[in-house]
Amino acid sequence: MTAKTFSSPIFVRDADQAILQIASVADALGFLARWPEQRRGPIYNTAMRACHAAREDRLSVDGARNAFAGFARSVGIRETDAVSIEPWIVTPKRGRMPL
C-alpha cells in the first residue's frame, strides 16, 4: 500500500482537544476508526467509504481528502485557522524553562 498523501493536510481536534494533522488516506482511516460509534452517521460513512476507495485506487486521493474534510467540518472538529506545528518549540514538563 502506498502512502496516499493528501495535497495538503487537514487539521482536526480530537476528544482531548489536541490538534491532529491528517495528511494521508491512512491517517484519515485511522482517525475514523477511532471515532465513537454512537457519533457515526451518513457523513461519517461517506468519508469512510471514500477513504477505503482511495486506498484501493477506486477514487482519487483528493476525493478522499474532500470527503474527510466534509466529515470533520460537519461534526465541528475541523481547524480552519492556519496551524503551525513547530517541532523545535518544546516546553519542559516540570520545573523552570531553560535559559
Side-chain angles (χ1 to χ4, degrees):
M1 183 171 85
T2 61
K4 308 282 184 182
T5 304
F6 292 160
S7 57
S8 61
I10 297 169
F11 294 94
V12 296
R13 286 198 181 267
D14 68 5
D16 296 326
Q17 297 301 305
I19 297 174
L20 303 177
Q21 175 179 292
I22 308 298
S24 68
V25 171
D27 291 347
L29 282 168
F31 184 88
L32 291 168
R34 292 185 304 275
W35 191 251
E37 286 188 35
Q38 67 274 15
R39 293 190 64 200
R40 296 177 185 184
I43 298 173
Y44 166 89
N45 291 330
T46 299
M48 185 64 95
R49 281 193 312 272
C51 289
H52 279 292
R55 185 181 65 185
E56 297 165 1
D57 293 323
R58 295 183 290 113
L59 180 70
S60 70
V61 173
D62 282 341
R65 183 190 182 283
N66 291 340
F68 182 81
F71 160 75
R73 190 173 36 258
S74 74
V75 296
I77 61 169
R78 178 138 189 219
E79 284 296 308
T80 55
D81 295 333
V83 176
S84 175
I85 299 176
E86 302 293 341
W88 51 269
I89 299 176
V90 179
T91 57
K93 293 193 185 272
R94 310 178 199 191
R96 295 178 30 190
M97 199 64 176
L99 299 175

